[in-house]
Amino acid sequence: AQKITQTQPGMFVQEKEAVTLDCTYDTSDQSYGLFWYKQPSSGEMIFLIYQGSYDEQNATEGRYSLNFQKARKSANLVISASQLGDSAMYFCAMRGGADGLTFGKGTHLIIQP
Amino acid sequence: DAGITQSPRYKITETGRQVTLMCHQTWSHSYMFWYRQDLGHGLRLIYYSAAADITDKGEVPDGYVVSRSKTENFPLTLESATRSQTSVYFCASRDIVDTSGRIYEQYFGPGTRLTVT
């Protein structure tokens, strides 16, 4: 069985600071994918970034990067230069051998001016 | 409009009634999924479908039925709604795994907020 753990239920960060959202995972699959999604207060789920288990480079998408440490089974999301619009719930998820995503419980990020 | 849509967006129903949530996608994605989101649980997979006429159970399938007669539609039916099925329901779709092994992200619909009284 796969499991995703997000240990930070909530975070307060000052605008323009960098943010690291923690995610650890557990799986027995050799090939898997890790995803981060953002859910603003409006409720939609927005895909942010993807990391494959065999990718040697950490994934980056604009201000988002994924700090992938395979041996530690961690896939932390880093947001550089945070903005007020980054305030949202953030979910880490993974897909392994079976279809469908396993989600963590999320981190509620609040950016303060 | 291209994308993935869900209807209705809001629904209030009574215990014991049957209710169907609709999901429609225009990308011709092979895979479609239903999740429920509850406070403290994140999103949990209910059912998924790899293609038309192929469906399989996810983590929390009890009390739900799905069908997929057409690639673009994936309705979710609560045969006899219970209060514990009060939740936000998300439909999602994705393309198949490509030859490089990349696993495509899932694209989510806007969600349906269901209240069972």
Side-chain angles (χ1 to χ4, degrees):
Chain A
Q2 299 169 358
K3 185 177 181 181
I4 295 283
T5 302
Q6 295 181 254
T7 57
Q8 305 152 311
M11 287 184 71
F12 288 88
V13 173
Q14 289 296 119
E15 189 179 9
K16 298 181 185 177
E17 288 184 352
V19 181
T20 297
L21 304 181
D22 294 341
C23 173
T24 58
Y25 61 91
D26 191 23
T27 182
S28 56
D29 294 319
Q30 296 301 308
S31 176
Y32 50 88
L34 294 154
F35 303 82
W36 278 92
Y37 283 84
K38 173 183 179 181
Q39 186 177 42
S41 58
S42 52
E44 70 267 34
M45 296 290 289
I46 302 168
F47 165 72
L48 295 178
I49 197 166
Y50 160 84
Q51 178 85 41
S53 58
Y54 290 114
D55 294 340
E56 294 183 352
Q57 303 260 4
N58 285 344
T60 59
E61 291 284 353
R63 293 187 299 115
Y64 303 108
S65 61
L66 201 153
N67 184 1
F68 181 47
Q69 298 189 40
K70 195 171 182 177
R72 292 187 175 186
K73 294 190 175 179
S74 74
N76 298 340
L77 178 70
V78 180
I79 306 174
S80 63
S82 59
Q83 302 170 357
L84 296 178
D86 293 332
S87 294
M89 284 291 292
Y90 288 81
F91 292 96
C92 181
M94 76 176 298
R95 179 189 176 274
D99 291 301
L101 293 175
T102 299
F103 283 83
K105 294 184 179 181
T107 295
H108 189 193
L109 176 65
I110 297 175
I111 307 298
Q112 296 177 312
Chain B
D1 290 336
I4 183 164
T5 56
Q6 294 183 234
S7 61
R9 294 293 312 280
Y10 302 90
K11 177 75 177 177
I12 299 174
T13 191
E14 295 177 344
T15 300
R17 288 192 180 267
Q18 179 175 288
V19 60
T20 296
L21 310 183
M22 304 302 292
C23 178
H24 176 79
Q25 53 104 355
T26 60
W27 293 304
S28 299
H29 283 168
S30 298
Y31 285 85
M32 295 188 74
F33 307 86
W34 276 105
Y35 295 89
R36 60 177 290 173
Q37 183 178 24
D38 304 292
L39 207 59
H41 286 281
L43 281 79
R44 291 179 292 175
L45 182 66
I46 304 172
Y47 268 96
Y48 67 96
S49 169
D53 298 322
I54 301 174
T55 62
D56 209 344
K57 296 178 180 179
E59 180 186 353
V60 288
D62 293 344
Y64 303 95
V65 175
V66 294
S67 62
R68 195 169 177 204
S69 57
K70 293 183 178 181
T71 300
E72 60 267 30
N73 297 324
F74 191 38
L76 176 74
T77 298
L78 289 67
E79 293 191 302
S80 178
T82 65
R83 290 195 181 92
S84 65
Q85 293 177 309
T86 292
S87 187
V88 179
Y89 291 85
F90 285 98
C91 179
S93 72
R94 71 164 173 85
D95 212 336
I96 61 174
V97 174
D98 71 14
T99 54
S100 71
R102 189 196 189 284
I103 300 171
Y104 285 108
E105 61 271 20
Q106 295 183 13
Y107 291 95
F108 284 77
T112 294
R113 184 173 294 275
L114 176 68
T115 301
V116 183
T117 62

